[in-house]
Amino acid sequence: NNKKLSIHIKRERKMKFKDDAKFRDNYTCKICDFNVDRKYGKTAFAALEVHHIRPLSHATDVVETKLKDLITLCSNCHSMLHKLGGSKQQIARLKKIMHGTIKF
């Protein structure tokens, strides 16, 4: 229960892109096809997460994010994608895992 001071560098993000990506993707996880609107209604839109296809952690300079650089995911798929490394290739791999064509 000790307290520790941490200092982090945080990248600024435009929240509008997040909302635009969710709208573009019809509030549906692009890996497992879970649609938040159909299951829970509009109040659950905040439960969806948006993933950068090109990880910002690899960027050394300021990166201008475009809508095409983002993908809408449910929290489970987002977590699993990060466990796989988070790259564009891993998105395709996780889709295959979800649809049962390959094993984890």
Side-chain angles (χ1 to χ4, degrees):
N1 198 17
N2 293 330
K3 294 182 180 181
K4 292 183 180 181
L5 174 64
S6 295
I7 299 174
H8 300 275
I9 295 175
K10 184 176 179 179
R11 292 186 184 269
E12 291 181 332
R13 298 190 173 134
K14 293 181 182 172
M15 298 310 281
K16 182 178 179 342
F17 277 144
K18 187 172 153 179
D19 294 337
D20 290 349
K22 290 177 185 182
F23 178 78
R24 178 204 60 205
D25 294 338
N26 196 31
Y27 305 99
T28 301
C29 175
K30 300 310 282 181
I31 290 177
C32 71
D33 298 323
F34 178 74
N35 183 285
V36 171
D37 188 23
R38 281 195 301 264
K39 190 69 173 177
Y40 300 117
K42 294 184 183 349
T43 57
F45 288 168
L48 286 170
E49 300 177 7
V50 177
H51 177 76
H52 285 82
I53 295 170
R54 294 183 342 205
L56 293 179
S57 60
H58 296 222
T60 55
D61 293 331
V62 173
V63 176
E64 183 179 341
T65 300
K66 296 178 175 69
L67 190 56
K68 67 178 184 164
D69 299 326
L70 303 173
I71 184 172
T72 303
L73 302 173
C74 67
S75 59
N76 287 339
C77 287
H78 196 197
S79 178
M80 292 308 298
L81 184 59
H82 275 277
K83 292 206 180 295
L84 293 172
S87 70
K88 191 172 188 175
Q89 295 79 13
Q90 298 306 330
I91 293 169
R93 181 174 176 222
L94 188 55
K95 281 183 186 181
K96 290 178 182 175
I97 291 168
M98 285 301 301
H99 296 289
T101 57
I102 66 170
K103 295 204 184 262
F104 193 78

